[in-house]
Amino acid sequence: EPKTKYDRQLRIWGDQGQAALEKASICLLNCGPTGTEALKNLVLGGIGSVTVVDDSKVEPSDLGNNFLLDEGCLGHSRAKSICSFLQELNDAVKAKYVEESVATMIDTNPSFFSEFTVVIATQLPESSLLKLDGICGSANIVLVAARSYGLTGLVRVSIKEHCVIESKPDHFLDDLRLHNPWTELKQFAKSIDICDKDAVVHKHTPYIVILVRLAEKWADAHDGQLPSTRQEKREFKDLIRAHMLNVDEDNYKEAVESSYKVSLTPGISNEIRQIIDDSSSEVNFSSSDFWVLVSALKEFITNEGNGELPLEGTIPDMTSLTEYYVSLQKIYQAKAESDCLAMEHRVKSILKRIGRDPESISRAYIKTFCKNTRKLKVCRYRSMEEEFSSPALSEVQKYFADEDSCYAMNFYVLLRAVDRLAASYSRLPGIFDSIGSTSEIVEDVPRLKAAAVSVLSDMGLKGASLSEDLVTEVCRFAGAEIHPVAAFIGGVASQEVIKLVTKQFVPLNGTFIFN
């Protein structure tokens, strides 16, 4: 039973998120330990289907770093063996394999990738990754590149645009509108006497009511203005304390702690303003549902919203009489429902205007959007071609100069440099026909350094220097996929895939370097 099977994750991304996962189709390129770890996490999470592309046979070295392979797999297709073991982890997931060279597939059969939701490319050299990024970009397929290399690794997401409704930030202010209460909330607050001498009633009046009443009292005495300066906010807290009958009244303590919510600036944040002013909000027949909703939101703010976003409709726990709390809940829910209804009418009107079915966007989707309008995110990514051919020089220089991130930048450059060296010598640095001696590794150090200087020059960083120790270390890594590092990089990659497929939480924006 899926509800029981996926119980824990359903609490995080809900039924909608799980349904998105179960519809998703994932392609994994190269099923070494990094790719296998990523796929294992997705299969356990209930992804719809996986296709593994790898033409390798299982070798003894695979048994040392890939926990899904055993001695019985030696000499057999690595892709077939991995798929067989993945099916054992979750038989609800469809798993198939293609025994073909990844490089050949990219060069000769680009249309193969268009059937997938996400392509996870592991351990690909830069030249192949650039071609694949172009293919996925033109087909609007999400690409997640992952690579583990010795004791370092990277993960990079590539897609033109990714819009998130449920970004689920760790900390976010409750949407209580104490700075701008609507009529029904004001009326309810007025119906409660905050000077009631009944000790039980007084200490169980919700802090929302206390703040609405006292903010109104403050505004009456200050030409309609709410407290704004530090001194005024201090005085407003004193006004709240002056209404306490006893020192142990938790509701008044909550009111003091939340008093700053009265002074919040009305309107919408700069981040949300940027989204609603984006050119994509001028919608047409081919616009995504997200941008149709943003267009409706823009109209709502100007009209029914009076400069505000739709109300979320939930209130936090607080000290209160049950009847007061339930009444407050109903008032907030009714306002949220009213706002959602207004949004729904505007969405249908826009859909009709652009020649689409007015019922094509579900009420559930509109409701989710309305509950999360303060947390919308639009992530836009540069293509890998753009990143490599025209790097953001000021950003790169900033990271190189920063003590915390300069090592990550060193690894970023060196991971690109190993591909350049491999293109010239047909091998990664530190890999030799026989077991590499120290002297042979030492010979590769200046070669890798020269390749790194070439990368730095292309990035516009002529004269920048890299850590000599790290250059030597990367040569010593010899391209090894060490299982603990592969497990971590694969874990990060699968986490990003889940964010991208469920369209919940905010995916990585940039290249993640593991040190």
Side-chain angles (χ1 to χ4, degrees):
E1 176 61 42
K3 287 271 184 189
T4 310
K5 188 177 190 177
Y6 303 126
D7 175 61
R8 285 190 176 184
Q9 63 204 49
L10 282 168
R11 300 179 202 193
I12 298 170
W13 52 70
D15 291 332
Q16 280 179 306
Q18 189 62 34
L21 282 177
E22 289 171 15
K23 283 180 197 162
S25 173
I26 307 295
C27 177
L28 172 69
L29 305 182
N30 292 322
C31 57
T34 309
T36 302
E37 285 286 344
L39 218 49
K40 177 246 326 176
N41 296 332
L42 294 170
V43 165
L44 288 171
I47 207 82
S49 66
V50 297
T51 300
V52 178
V53 181
D54 193 319
D55 65 342
S56 310
K57 302 295 181 189
V58 178
E59 298 177 1
S61 59
D62 289 313
L63 307 185
N65 65 2
N66 197 327
F67 84 98
L68 282 190
L69 299 173
D70 59 27
E71 288 181 1
C73 303
L74 282 171
H76 295 288
S77 158
R78 189 162 74 168
K80 183 180 180 181
S81 301
I82 290 295
C83 281
S84 172
F85 281 109
L86 287 172
Q87 289 270 219
E88 287 182 27
L89 292 176
N90 191 345
D91 57 10
V93 176
K94 300 183 188 81
K96 56 183 181 179
Y97 62 93
V98 178
E99 281 187 81
E100 194 171 329
S101 156
V102 171
T104 304
M105 183 74 84
I106 291 169
D107 288 337
T108 62
N109 191 8
S111 61
F112 168 80
F113 300 101
S114 61
E115 65 187 82
F116 300 104
T117 314
V118 180
V119 175
I120 305 173
T122 64
Q123 308 304 101
L124 280 193
E126 189 173 298
S127 54
S128 296
L129 203 52
L130 280 170
K131 288 179 194 170
L132 179 64
D133 188 45
I135 293 165
C136 291
S138 58
N140 207 26
I141 304 296
V142 179
L143 173 63
V144 176
R147 186 176 195 177
S148 62
Y149 198 98
L151 296 175
T152 186
L154 63 78
V155 176
R156 178 42 146 125
V157 172
S158 184
I159 183 176
K160 287 174 186 170
E161 180 181 273
H162 180 70
C163 303
V164 185
I165 294 174
E166 297 179 80
S167 63
K168 302 189 177 182
D170 289 335
H171 304 289
F172 218 78
L173 276 179
D174 301 303
D175 187 15
L176 300 178
R177 302 288 164 91
L178 300 179
H179 59 290
N180 188 15
W182 62 100
T183 306
E184 291 79 5
L185 181 58
K186 283 182 186 173
Q187 286 172 346
F188 176 71
K190 277 183 181 172
S191 72
I192 297 171
D193 181 7
I194 61 170
C195 298
D196 196 315
K197 298 301 180 198
D198 183 321
V200 175
V201 173
H202 196 270
K203 72 190 295 186
H204 289 91
T205 300
Y207 79 77
I208 288 177
V209 170
I210 297 167
L211 289 176
V212 170
R213 291 293 301 276
L214 293 182
E216 195 171 13
K217 185 176 181 179
W218 174 279
D220 289 344
H222 293 81
D223 298 324
Q225 300 300 307
L226 292 170
S228 57
T229 66
R230 185 178 291 183
Q231 179 60 32
E232 285 175 343
K233 289 174 185 177
R234 199 178 290 128
E235 288 171 11
F236 183 62
K237 285 182 179 180
D238 291 339
L239 176 64
I240 298 167
R241 292 188 188 101
H243 280 72
M244 293 176 76
L245 294 180
N246 297 297
V247 292
D248 65 341
E249 292 183 313
D250 289 337
N251 57 334
Y252 276 86
K253 290 175 185 173
E254 289 167 359
V256 170
E257 285 169 7
S258 299
S259 61
Y260 67 93
K261 294 174 185 175
V262 165
S263 304
L264 294 176
T265 308
I268 60 177
S269 69
N270 291 335
E271 194 173 1
I272 300 304
R273 171 63 62 192
Q274 277 185 326
I275 292 173
I276 63 171
D277 287 345
D278 193 281
S279 59
S280 297
S281 67
E282 302 297 324
V283 293
N284 54 44
F285 182 81
S286 57
S287 295
S288 69
D289 289 354
F290 177 87
W291 286 110
V292 171
L293 284 163
V294 169
S295 182
L297 179 64
K298 195 173 186 175
E299 291 183 7
F300 173 89
I301 292 166
T302 310
N303 296 283
E304 298 89 350
N306 292 318
E308 296 274 10
L309 297 166
L311 187 75
E312 285 180 25
T314 56
I315 59 174
D317 288 338
M318 63 190 75
T319 304
S320 171
L321 290 174
T322 303
E323 62 185 277
Y324 287 170
Y325 188 79
V326 170
S327 296
L328 268 178
Q329 273 186 322
K330 286 178 180 174
I331 289 164
Y332 274 85
Q333 286 165 359
K335 168 69 172 158
E337 186 65 27
S338 166
D339 287 354
C340 185
L341 206 58
M343 274 287 290
E344 194 177 354
H345 288 317
R346 295 202 168 273
V347 169
K348 285 181 179 178
S349 170
I350 290 167
L351 287 169
K352 196 173 179 182
R353 196 163 69 229
I354 61 177
R356 282 175 57 184
D357 176 6
E359 305 296 328
S360 60
I361 299 179
S362 72
R363 188 162 202 279
Y365 188 70
I366 297 169
K367 197 169 184 178
T368 301
F369 184 89
C370 289
K371 280 186 75 172
N372 290 280
T373 49
R374 294 187 306 145
K375 304 159 194 169
L376 304 176
K377 296 282 181 185
V378 175
C379 306
R380 291 190 172 121
Y381 297 84
R382 301 173 81 209
S383 70
M384 292 183 189
E385 179 66 50
E386 288 171 322
E387 179 187 326
F388 296 157
S389 62
S390 54
L393 190 57
S394 60
E395 289 281 297
V396 170
Q397 287 171 330
K398 182 181 81 176
Y399 288 130
F400 259 111
D402 183 73
E403 191 179 341
D404 292 331
S405 56
C406 69
Y407 263 64
M409 282 306 301
N410 272 242
F411 276 129
Y412 172 81
V413 171
L414 287 166
L415 287 171
R416 291 185 60 192
V418 296
D419 289 336
R420 293 201 181 181
L421 189 146
S424 301
Y425 291 88
S426 303
R427 63 170 178 81
L428 292 168
I431 296 179
F432 306 95
D433 293 334
S434 57
I435 295 172
S437 66
T438 305
S439 61
E440 284 177 309
I441 290 173
V442 167
E443 285 173 23
D444 267 350
V445 171
R447 292 170 185 153
L448 181 59
K449 194 172 179 182
V453 168
S454 153
V455 173
L456 286 167
S457 177
D458 288 352
M459 292 170 72
L461 293 166
K462 286 179 182 173
S465 60
L466 296 175
S467 159
E468 296 280 348
D469 287 345
L470 286 191
V471 177
T472 306
E473 277 299 291
V474 170
C475 287
R476 287 181 62 241
F477 291 162
E481 280 187 87
I482 301 166
H483 183 254
V485 177
F488 184 82
I489 296 295
V492 173
S494 58
Q495 175 179 275
E496 296 312 304
V497 170
I498 287 169
K499 291 178 190 175
L500 291 156
V501 169
T502 61
K503 296 194 174 176
Q504 295 182 23
F505 302 95
V506 182
L508 289 171
N509 201 347
T511 303
F512 168 76
I513 304 283
F514 173 63
N515 174 7

